[in-house]
């Protein structure tokens, strides 16, 4: 039952992201980033921080009400010696500030294929949203604009 709900949620995330209806952001811009990393260090989200780490530059989040959805690229083992092929993608949620971070999926091959698809869509969304040179030109115009 839970597996069906998660599968449906992932399919919905993929579809809404494809349609540009979800406002994904880089994890590095998450204001409570340290709190989430601390939860992971403490074993929340079924995360073994002793052997795994989050690649923050390749991780994303979106907010819905009080809660958040996190799409984490996870290094397994030492990132200095491990192959990027060993990385997996984790999908975690934090429903509100009181409840702990919760991992929604295991690392099955089929689910990882879906996560790869979602991650690619998120990266394409962000690339289009922050497309150069348009975003640069708009910024320069805003700086010089009379207010």
């Amino acid at each position: 039952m839970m597996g069906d709900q998660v599968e449906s949620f992932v399919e919905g995330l993929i579809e809404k992201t494809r349609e540009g209806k979800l406002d994904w952001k880089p994890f590095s811009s998450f204001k409570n980033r340290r709190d989430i990393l601390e939860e992971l260090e403490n074993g929340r989200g079924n995360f073994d921080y002793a052997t795994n780490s989050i690649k923050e530059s390749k991780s994303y989040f979106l907010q819905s009400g009080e809660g958040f959805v996190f799409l984490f690229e996870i290094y397994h083992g030492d990132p200095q010696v491990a192959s990027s092929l060993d990385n997996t993608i984790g999908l975690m949620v934090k429903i509100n500030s009181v409840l702990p971070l919760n991992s929604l999926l295991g690392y099955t091959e089929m689910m990882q294929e879906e996560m790869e698809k979602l991650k690619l869509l998120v990266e394409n969304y962000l690339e289009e949203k922050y497309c150069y040179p348009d975003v640069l030109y708009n910024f320069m115009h805003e700086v010089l604009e009379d207010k």
Side-chain angles (χ1 to χ4, degrees):
M1 184 66 132
M2 176 75 165
D4 293 339
Q5 290 292 322
V6 170
E7 229 175 271
S8 178
F9 181 63
V10 169
E11 289 171 10
L13 288 175
I14 289 170
E15 189 59 36
K16 295 260 186 198
T17 301
R18 183 178 286 124
E19 296 169 357
K21 293 182 177 178
L22 296 176
D23 188 22
W24 289 96
K25 296 178 178 138
F27 181 65
S28 59
S29 70
F30 185 64
K31 69 178 183 172
N32 295 330
R33 194 174 101 251
R34 287 282 138 224
D35 294 339
I36 295 300
L37 293 174
E38 188 174 305
E39 279 195 56
L40 291 171
E41 287 175 20
N42 292 326
R44 295 291 187 188
N46 299 325
F47 191 80
D48 182 0
Y49 210 80
T51 59
N52 299 327
S53 60
I54 298 295
K55 185 171 185 179
E56 292 184 40
S57 65
K58 293 288 188 180
S59 296
Y60 310 95
F61 79 97
L62 65 85
Q63 183 170 4
S64 179
E66 290 182 51
F68 299 92
V69 176
F70 297 97
L71 189 65
F72 290 127
E73 184 166 319
I74 302 171
Y75 282 123
H76 297 279
D78 183 353
Q80 301 299 327
V81 295
S83 164
S84 63
L85 298 175
D86 296 331
N87 296 351
T88 57
I89 300 170
L91 184 67
M92 298 183 191
V93 295
K94 184 154 179 72
I95 298 170
N96 57 40
S97 61
V98 176
L99 293 173
L101 192 62
N102 190 0
S103 179
L104 291 185
L105 48 100
Y107 299 107
T108 65
E109 188 174 327
M110 186 177 90
M111 196 48 93
Q112 283 303 298
E113 288 175 11
E114 293 300 298
M115 292 295 91
E116 285 289 340
K117 188 185 305 181
L118 178 58
K119 184 172 176 269
L120 182 60
L121 288 167
V122 169
E123 289 171 344
N124 287 338
Y125 164 79
L126 288 171
E127 190 173 294
E128 287 177 19
K129 184 175 179 180
Y130 299 109
C131 179
Y132 274 94
D134 294 343
V135 74
L136 174 62
Y137 297 157
N138 290 340
F139 173 75
M140 290 188 298
H141 178 73
E142 284 179 25
V143 168
L144 298 177
E145 185 177 281
D146 289 332
K147 295 183 181 182

